[in-house]
Amino acid sequence: AGPSRTMEENGRKLDANRGGGMIRMLAQVWFGLSFVITLVFVRVVCEAIHLIPGLDKRTKEMLSMQVMAYSMKVFLLFQIQIGVYYDCDKIKLECESIDATLARGQGVAIMINHTSKLDGFLAAAILPAHITARCKSFMAGNLFNAVLAGRIFTLIGHLPVHFKSDDYSKFTVDKEKQMKVVEEMEHFLKKGKILMYCPEGRINKNPEKLSPFRHGSFKIVHELNLQIWLLAVWNSHKVWPYGAAMGGFPTDLKISLNPLTPEKNNEKESKIEENNGEDAIPGVSKEKPHVKLSQKSFVKMEGIIERLRSGDPNLRDALLGWRVVAGFQIFAALTYLRYGGHALSMAVTFYPPAVLTLRELFSKQLRNRHVSNSSEIDTEEKKNTYGVDFWLSYWLIFTFIVVVESIVSMRDLIPGYDILRALTLLSCIHPKFLLARTVLNQLLYKVVE
């Protein structure tokens, strides 16, 4: 019995692995196909933008960057195998702080940890498009030769880093060529713009440990007094592993955007502050403040990544709601094409309210369980706009319309009736109109009285 049981267990494990492998393969195919289509679309639109007469180069680059940003948002939205978790309120707050900094005419540096080819595209998908549009980045010169993406990097205004050799691990830069590039970036940043780059300098082969930051990249940040924000991403290496031709593997991304605040964040950063970086690099003196800035940024980023890895309770799936809406829109379009406007009107005005009604009924039961005082229950009911009585009113209106339709052919009498019907019922539950509440208060209560 023992050997046969072992063989049976091994068979189940093998079947599970095969099933998981099939899912990963399908996810990768979907990711790759949609990624290529997205890049082709971005390339075509950006090329068209740069052909528009009368626009200056910078305006064309900003418009192209916005096309890239919105396209990446749509691309990520439909990668349903990838969860995207972050604190939406915090991201919004930090983006408002970035806007305020730029409004003062001060430049900003957004730094990203680099564990995957996806990182730059992911930043464009997560950050608001109006912020991304004001960004430029330093990138290895060979990336501008990449198929599809290379030309896009030029069109959106990114700048190359001219290495002396193909061995980028040595980070040996051709200073003469690079001087012109740095001057162009400085001119750009002095207008209150954003430098977005990966201070590690290359993809980290060991994502479990943050690679040292390139101190030289902090010279321009220090000299121009750029305000620093750190965009930390965890699990990007699982979506698109190092060395893989294409990504798309199922996982949950965890993201956090944090400013580099002047206060000391932990003992390690306090020590760097006290010794001015001498504990990390022997011989570092006060004449090299950019090194100190680099080390502080490294320590801060390290702490953020560790918090993401260990589990930040404030993170939530930020794209779930958008994906539900997109899925419902696709369902609605297919329903309309297959069954017509009446079926679509019925689907739109029945299924979402039915789900919300059931949720309200269940949530009321839970509230009654946890709140023993009847006065507290009444207070909770008053705070709740969409109470049970509200949904009762909605379903009475819905039923009344259905009964009328069964007696009179409203679609023959009123042109565009299906659209009118859907708009009427949706206005009953829309927070701006709440017609169901009006019907409840002005009609039903009076009839009962």
Side-chain angles (χ1 to χ4, degrees), residues 152-430:
I152 292 173
F153 297 149
T154 300
L155 294 172
I156 61 181
H158 289 341
L159 299 176
V161 177
H162 297 290
F163 292 102
K164 283 187 175 181
S165 68
D166 294 334
D167 187 1
Y168 302 111
S169 62
K170 295 181 179 179
F171 297 130
T172 305
V173 177
D174 187 326
K175 294 184 179 180
E176 185 176 346
K177 288 184 178 180
Q178 199 60 32
M179 187 178 299
K180 297 179 181 179
V181 177
V182 172
E183 287 177 357
E184 183 178 349
M185 181 63 81
E186 288 179 349
H187 180 72
F188 171 77
L189 294 172
K190 286 177 181 177
K191 296 180 180 179
K193 303 296 183 181
I194 303 172
L195 168 62
M196 182 185 292
Y197 74 108
C198 301
E200 293 168 277
R202 59 178 176 176
I203 295 178
N204 185 359
K205 297 180 182 179
N206 180 22
E208 299 293 329
K209 183 179 180 182
L210 187 65
S211 292
F213 286 177
R214 293 180 60 201
H215 299 319
S217 67
F218 282 79
K219 286 183 179 180
I220 189 172
V221 176
H222 174 261
E223 289 170 1
L224 298 181
N225 191 30
L226 303 181
Q227 294 297 301
I228 297 175
W229 269 265
L230 303 172
L231 182 62
V233 182
W234 179 246
N235 281 343
S236 178
H237 60 286
K238 293 181 180 178
V239 175
W240 196 331
Y242 180 83
M246 185 56 65
F249 298 111
T251 193
D252 290 332
L253 292 171
K254 298 179 180 180
I255 302 166
S256 183
L257 179 65
N258 296 267
L260 181 67
T261 51
E263 58 266 14
K264 306 176 186 63
N265 296 285
N266 52 41
E267 293 182 4
K268 190 174 180 181
E269 188 168 338
S270 301
K271 190 176 181 182
I272 291 175
E273 179 73 22
E274 293 168 2
N275 298 330
N276 197 23
E278 293 177 7
D279 62 321
I281 297 182
V284 171
S285 63
K286 293 182 179 180
E287 284 72 37
K288 295 184 178 180
H290 68 281
V291 176
K292 172 177 143 182
L293 184 61
S294 171
Q295 292 178 332
K296 288 186 66 175
S297 301
F298 177 87
V299 172
K300 177 81 171 182
M301 180 73 85
E302 208 173 30
I304 299 169
I305 293 174
E306 179 58 35
R307 188 167 68 248
L308 291 176
R309 179 165 42 189
S310 59
D312 188 337
N314 296 319
L315 304 183
R316 64 181 179 85
D317 193 340
L319 295 186
L320 180 60
W322 288 102
R323 284 170 174 168
V324 171
V325 171
F328 184 77
Q329 289 177 339
I330 293 172
F331 166 77
L334 294 176
T335 301
Y336 177 78
L337 292 174
R338 178 65 180 85
Y339 299 104
H342 184 67
L344 175 59
S345 176
M346 288 291 291
V348 169
T349 57
F350 177 81
Y351 291 109
V355 172
L356 294 172
T357 302
L358 291 174
R359 188 179 71 173
E360 175 57 30
L361 289 172
F362 292 139
S363 62
K364 182 179 181 181
Q365 292 178 2
L366 290 174
R367 285 197 301 269
N368 292 346
R369 286 181 191 174
H370 292 91
V371 181
S372 56
N373 192 326
S374 58
S375 62
E376 292 182 17
I377 295 176
D378 292 339
T379 303
E380 290 291 329
E381 288 293 327
K382 289 178 181 178
K383 291 180 181 179
N384 187 14
T385 302
Y386 297 95
V388 175
D389 55 349
F390 174 88
W391 289 114
L392 175 62
S393 174
Y394 174 83
W395 289 115
L396 285 173
I397 297 171
F398 183 91
T399 305
F400 175 77
I401 292 175
V402 171
V403 170
V404 171
E405 289 174 346
S406 66
I407 300 172
V408 182
S409 180
M410 303 298 292
R411 299 173 71 187
D412 296 332
L413 291 176
I414 304 176
Y417 172 74
D418 291 326
I419 297 176
L420 179 63
R421 178 186 187 280
L423 291 176
T424 301
L425 287 171
L426 289 176
S427 64
C428 287
I429 61 176
H430 193 282

Side-chain angles (χ1 to χ4, degrees), residues 107-172:
V108 167
I110 298 178
M111 302 179 184
I112 314 167
N113 63 307
H114 201 13
T115 62
S116 165
K117 294 178 183 178
L118 183 65
D119 296 327
F121 300 107
L122 187 61
I126 296 301
L127 296 175
H130 73 276
I131 287 181
T132 310
R134 289 179 277 182
C135 292
K136 276 184 181 288
S137 180
F138 284 128
M139 306 178 69
N142 70 315
L143 294 177
F144 290 84
N145 299 322
V147 179
L148 282 179
R151 175 61 178 163
I152 292 173
F153 297 149
T154 300
L155 294 172
I156 61 181
H158 289 341
L159 299 176
V161 177
H162 297 290
F163 292 102
K164 283 187 175 181
S165 68
D166 294 334
D167 187 1
Y168 302 111
S169 62
K170 295 181 179 179
F171 297 130
T172 305

